[in-house]
Amino acid sequence: MHNNGDSEQAIREATGLSETELSDLIANQAGLPGQNANVPAAIPAIDVPVVALPVTGALQELIDWAAAHPTASVRSRAARITADLCELSERRDSEAAQREAEDKVARAKAELERAQEELRTVKASTRTTTAAATAPTPIRAGIGSGRTREELAAVRTWARENGHQVADAGMVPKRVLQAYDVAHQAPVRKAG
């Protein structure tokens, strides 16, 4: 990485090496004494964490070989590759979870649309059934005698002839209607 022109900070982040360890490695490659003069001349193996990834056996063997390699640049490449593979795996898993959530939302929206259509159908059939079940009613349902104009004219005529006071228009009092009904009932024969 150092030979490729990467900054020391980038190298430390990618490999997990401390500043001292990185300086010693760079110095050892150049043949200079490092900051830690007590380090033997041979390059020590540095523990680079190797994360188990869902990779093929051959690829995992290659990464394991590179992570244990005595050359720091090979180990650093193994660390970089491992980090990249981890990042790619996380991204793949994240995108798969996102797709699954989007599919779940789409299914829920479709189910909601079906339920709303069913509700509209039920409401429409209820309106049709209610409208068909009830005959047209007069505008003033529940008010008045329920008699035609001709019947009311006959009631008024009878009422005047029999001493009841009634107006020429408007409602006929209930007592007058009842008296008219009593007077015009067919006589009931007694059983006998």
Side-chain angles (χ1 to χ4, degrees):
M1 290 177 74
H2 183 339
N3 293 341
N4 294 338
D6 291 341
S7 69
E8 288 187 17
Q9 181 178 356
I11 296 169
R12 283 195 312 274
E13 289 174 4
T15 61
L17 297 173
S18 69
E19 192 172 333
T20 305
E21 291 171 329
L22 182 59
S23 297
D24 288 343
L25 286 174
I26 293 171
N28 284 338
Q29 281 184 340
L32 303 173
Q35 291 179 353
N36 189 350
N38 296 332
V39 175
I43 299 175
I46 299 173
D47 291 331
V48 177
V50 177
V51 179
L53 298 170
V55 294
T56 64
L59 184 56
Q60 186 62 51
E61 286 177 21
L62 182 59
I63 292 172
D64 291 344
W65 169 81
H69 199 274
T71 307
S73 64
V74 174
R75 287 192 312 271
S76 104
R77 280 188 178 192
R80 203 170 357 145
I81 290 169
T82 302
D84 288 346
L85 287 173
C86 285
E87 184 180 332
L88 287 173
S89 295
E90 289 171 3
R91 184 169 185 167
R92 179 195 60 202
D93 295 345
S94 173
E95 287 179 4
Q98 182 178 349
R99 276 192 306 276
E100 184 179 328
E102 288 170 349
D103 290 345
K104 189 175 184 180
V105 167
R107 286 191 305 272
K109 283 182 179 179
E111 182 63 29
L112 177 61
E113 184 59 37
R114 281 191 296 276
Q116 287 175 332
E117 184 60 35
E118 185 178 325
L119 177 62
R120 283 191 287 273
T121 303
V122 168
K123 282 183 174 181
S125 68
T126 302
R127 281 189 216 123
T128 304
T129 304
T130 304
T134 59
T137 56
I139 295 174
R140 298 176 63 183
I143 300 176
S145 65
R147 301 173 195 239
T148 65
R149 289 177 190 248
E150 292 79 23
E151 290 174 325
L152 289 175
V155 169
R156 283 190 176 90
T157 303
W158 174 87
R160 288 187 188 106
E161 290 172 357
N162 291 289
H164 296 282
Q165 265 193 326
V166 290
D168 291 337
M171 292 180 62
V172 176
K174 190 174 187 178
R175 61 180 168 72
V176 174
L177 291 171
Q178 289 173 344
Y180 175 84
D181 289 340
V182 169
H184 289 85
Q185 281 182 345
V188 178
R189 291 189 183 192
K190 294 185 180 179

